Amino acid sequence: MVSDKPIEDEKVDALVEAARLSASCNNNQPWRLVLVRGKAALDTFKTSLSRGNAWATRAPMIIAVAARVSDDCDLSDNRHYFLFSTGLAIGQLELRATELGLIAHPIAGFDPLKAKEILGIPQDHVVITYVICGYPGTDDSLLSDKQKAIEPVRPIRKPSGENFFLDKWGSPYPFKDSAPAPQI
Ligand SMILES: Cc1cc2nc3c(=O)[nH]c(=O)nc-3n(C[C@H](O)[C@H](O)[C@H](O)COP(=O)(O)O)c2cc1C
């Protein structure tokens, strides 16, 4: 859960810096981030959240993450790197947020066409994710009953043999992974 406590400007700058320094194919840096922080802008932008993400309406900042295929390497056999490079940058931002005591929660539950209209994002860009940013909170009143039930425990991951292989596709990597994902 996220609280409505404002995030200090220096911490927002640190998040930007973490993403800015991320690796990308040919250093193309295809990511475009709109940091929505102003009250009026946020109120309007939050109307594009899906109902299941009502919990995110408390956040003091939401980052809209967009990119387009032509801004990054586009190589043989469907290797469209713009999504990968952008995902890496957001991964760096998430790690930095965690270091700073913040939540940076990516979501796919939003209306991308509305996001483009509200923020003026060009049509040829894909709005890949929103990152819900803020300090952790304890008020769960905006969660559905289902969300309240799953929130306290991190969901179980697939057994590693299903998606980690040794030497050949389909040969399970023998990782000793009976442990659940650690609680944070
Ligand atoms: C691409 C992506 C989209 C996601 N979309 C949503 C979302 O719309 N709403 C939500 O509450 N969480 C969303 N999540 C969070 C995941 O549901 C969550 O990371 C996953 O269940 C694993 O839980 P954990 O991060 O606590 O280990 C999303 C995560 C990713 C990476």
Side-chain angles (χ1 to χ4, degrees), residues 112-143:
L113 299 183
K114 209 165 173 187
K116 284 182 176 176
E117 188 188 317
I118 293 170
L119 299 179
I121 297 171
Q123 288 303 328
D124 60 352
H125 284 62
V126 180
V127 184
I128 303 164
T129 191
Y130 291 179
V131 186
I132 310 301
C133 299
Y135 283 94
T138 51
D139 183 348
D140 65 0
S141 58
L142 291 175
L143 298 184

Side-chain angles (χ1 to χ4, degrees), residues 53 55 105-109 154-155 157:
N53 283 325
W55 60 268
H105 185 136
I107 62 162
R154 295 190 75 193
R157 269 38 178 184

Side-chain angles (χ1 to χ4, degrees), residues 161-177:
E162 276 188 31
N163 48 2
F164 295 85
F165 306 133
L166 180 63
D167 294 336
K168 194 170 178 10
W169 183 275
S171 163
Y173 182 81
F175 182 65
K176 296 169 209 59
D177 65 345

